[in-house]
Amino acid sequence: MKPNFSMTQRLLMSPAAEGGLSAGTPQGGDSPAAAGKRPNLIEETFRKLGETGGTALIPFLTVGDPDLDTTLDIIEQLEQAGADVLELGVPYSDPLADGPVIQRASARALEQLITVRTCLDVARRARERGVKMPFVLFTYYNPILQTGLDLFFEEASRNGISGLIIPDLPYEESEDMLQRADRVNIALIPLVAPTSSERIEKILRNGRGFVYCVSSLGVTGERASFHDGVDAFIRDVKSRTDLPVAVGFGISGREQVQRFSELCDGVVVGSAIVRTIETLIPDLMNADKREDALLQIRKFVAELKV
């Protein structure tokens, strides 16, 4: 069954649904690393950054916006710009957690007939080009369900996906997904929001990879300011988990990245990058201007790295 509400709507409307994804208590709750399996690439990346006191820069882009070849070129540029982990957004027709910038990107990508399996294939092709950073697939639940759980996890593992974020899957329904992800060493990444309060412990109990702290209520999108309690919220989450903690939703510039890097282990930037791509689409589609447009995207992301 397809969940009916966005992650933010669930957090606001139903305290029992907080946690988003891997907050259940499935049997065999130890992480793959704790169980003796090979380390996940996300874990390795955060470990290396922790040794040097670095903060992970985690860009987001919508796969297929404006087309697949351009997405692959942008992925290469993002790694060269200093990205540590990359969120690959699966375009979806009803992206309830996403603001207008990412909604428009999804619409453009869907015109290219992009599916979740297309996105998994992009991960494989990026690996073939030599891209080494971990990939986190950001997808709503229904595209996975339509693909088939067995086929999805088989292809995700084979094509180099290290993490998975499903913003509209509540923890009550996440046990099977967590077990499947663990079996193929994919981190099912938990989301926590400022409204989580006393439910944080349950949300974090079976977290994998890193914890994604939602910096503000509502949908994704660039913001000039954040609510007054966000700093205390992030500190509270960090005090309750040994996992790296990243913050996202609304972060758009170097000053904001710098601010949050002093509080957490990673910073996610989405809408600002997608908007930059959007403004450059005419040049990206022009053979004479394409290289310069790609370099502009690389420069924008490089300036976010702190």
Side-chain angles (χ1 to χ4, degrees), residues 125-141:
R125 293 170 63 187
R127 287 280 181 259
E128 290 177 351
R129 290 190 179 198
V131 176
K132 294 181 172 54
M133 61 183 166
F135 295 139
V136 174
L137 196 74
F138 185 106
T139 179
Y140 292 87
Y141 178 73

Side-chain angles (χ1 to χ4, degrees), residues 192 194 213-217 223 226-227 230 233 247-251 260:
V192 291
C213 285
V214 178
S215 66
S216 52
L217 301 178
R223 290 172 173 81
F226 300 87
H227 75 92
V230 66
F233 161 60
V247 63
F249 274 51
I251 299 170
F260 284 109

Side-chain angles (χ1 to χ4, degrees), residues 49-107:
L49 285 167
E51 291 173 352
T52 61
T55 300
L57 176 61
I58 310 174
F60 168 99
L61 58 77
T62 300
V63 175
D65 178 35
D67 60 34
L68 291 179
D69 287 338
T70 304
T71 293
L72 284 162
D73 289 342
I74 291 173
I75 290 172
E76 290 183 304
Q77 295 296 327
L78 296 182
E79 183 165 70
Q80 292 170 22
D84 299 291
V85 179
L86 178 62
E87 285 187 19
L88 296 173
V90 177
Y92 188 51
S93 58
D94 190 22
L96 296 177
D98 295 315
V101 172
I102 295 177
Q103 287 183 18
R104 292 196 300 270
S106 285

Side-chain angles (χ1 to χ4, degrees), residues 242-257:
D242 292 329
L243 288 173
V245 173
V247 63
F249 274 51
I251 299 170
S252 59
R254 181 180 175 85
E255 183 177 338
Q256 293 173 339
V257 172

Side-chain angles (χ1 to χ4, degrees), residues 149-161:
L149 299 184
D150 290 341
L151 179 60
F152 171 79
F153 279 103
E154 176 188 339
E155 293 195 354
S157 176
R158 185 172 67 243
N159 291 354
I161 298 299

